[in-house]
Amino acid sequence: DAKTTQPPSMDCAEGRAANLPCNHSTISGNEYVYWYRQIHSQGPQYIIHGLKNNETNEMASLIITEDRKSSTLILPHATLRDTAVYYCIVRAVGGTASKLTFGTGTRLQVTL
Amino acid sequence: NAGVTQTPKFQVLKTGQSMTLQCAQDMNHEYMSWYRQDPGMGLRLIHYSVGAGITDQGEVPNGYNVSRSTTEDFPLRLLSAAPSQTSVYFCASRPGYNLANTEAFFGQGTRLTVV
């Protein structure tokens, strides 16, 4: 699986958009970009994933660059409950490569 | 629908003791896995299973055994606990091994301390 690079920490004011970047310059054509978050040592929670098109769901939006070498997770209106560690993961389909490999993520602190 | 259930939530062991961490899912998922998370670090894969009767090693398998006799259960056994195994353990499952378009569901973790 391709490796990812994320900033170790970010701050965001409550009510503002949180934009979390991820670099995955060695991503392969069959690898998806996944985002998970972990709130205060709970089990990780799935947020969103995509292959090459931008995606949106009730939690967030995922913007993937045209060359697929980087992506941005957007929380449109961050709240205090969004304070968590956010993990960007790339994963291929099938075979032994089909595993989630977690890095150290970005610790997002949402403040008043 | 309980999702992924891990027991116990907390455990203290003495060095050399053995124990089994339980993981059960009620979503009929094929793929299950165990991770450990040490303070300030991401999750590291211990063992995984792509279906009943099939298991394989992950990134940090030493000191742990697994088996998958049913689709629902994927227990993790510590053979002889060591202080280096003090960690938080997470079990996860997802629907299809070969499907990329699927999300993983995680349990709430087992906090293990080995003294």
Side-chain angles (χ1 to χ4, degrees):
Chain A
D1 290 333
K3 294 192 178 191
T4 62
T5 304
Q6 299 178 252
S9 63
M10 294 182 65
D11 292 329
C12 179
E14 189 176 35
R16 306 297 293 269
N19 297 281
L20 289 85
C22 180
N23 181 286
H24 32 79
S25 58
T26 60
I27 193 169
S28 300
N30 67 340
E31 289 181 316
Y32 284 70
V33 180
Y34 282 77
W35 283 83
Y36 284 77
R37 73 180 182 183
Q38 188 174 26
I39 297 173
H40 197 243
S41 298
Q42 296 176 17
Q45 175 190 24
Y46 165 83
I47 302 172
I48 199 167
H49 73 280
L51 183 61
K52 54 178 127 179
N53 297 322
N54 298 338
E55 302 287 345
T56 296
N57 63 19
E58 65 278 3
M59 289 180 69
S61 295
L62 174 60
I63 308 298
I64 303 174
T65 58
E66 193 170 342
D67 63 6
R68 301 209 324 123
K69 294 185 176 183
S70 65
S71 61
T72 301
L73 178 74
I74 301 172
L75 308 178
H77 305 287
T79 70
L80 296 177
R81 286 176 293 189
D82 292 320
T83 293
V85 178
Y86 288 77
Y87 296 99
C88 170
I89 300 166
V90 291
R91 182 170 76 85
V93 180
T96 56
S98 186
K99 294 175 282 188
L100 289 174
T101 301
F102 287 82
T104 52
T106 295
R107 183 172 297 276
L108 176 68
Q109 180 69 51
V110 181
T111 56
L112 290 171
Chain B
N1 190 339
V4 179
T5 302
Q6 291 184 234
T7 55
K9 288 186 171 52
F10 301 92
Q11 182 70 50
V12 178
L13 288 179
K14 293 182 179 178
T15 298
Q17 285 185 315
S18 63
M19 81 159 292
T20 299
L21 279 61
Q22 302 292 343
C23 176
Q25 52 92 8
D26 60 0
M27 298 172 282
N28 201 33
H29 287 172
E30 288 184 305
Y31 185 86
M32 295 185 73
S33 54
W34 276 103
Y35 292 84
R36 61 176 287 172
Q37 186 174 33
D38 299 322
M41 297 182 67
L43 283 72
R44 291 185 292 169
L45 183 64
I46 305 171
H47 285 285
Y48 65 98
S49 168
V50 301
I54 307 170
T55 64
D56 206 346
Q57 296 181 349
E59 182 185 354
V60 288
N62 292 341
Y64 307 95
N65 272 358
V66 292
S67 60
R68 184 95 180 270
S69 56
T70 67
T71 299
E72 294 77 20
D73 300 298
F74 190 43
L76 178 72
R77 282 182 289 277
L78 279 69
L79 309 172
S80 177
S84 60
Q85 293 179 305
T86 294
S87 190
V88 181
Y89 292 84
F90 291 101
C91 178
S93 75
R94 69 172 186 258
Y97 177 58
N98 281 324
L99 300 175
N101 227 16
T102 58
E103 63 179 277
F105 295 81
F106 285 81
Q108 287 306 298
T110 295
R111 283 148 183 80
L112 176 68
T113 302
V114 182
V115 298

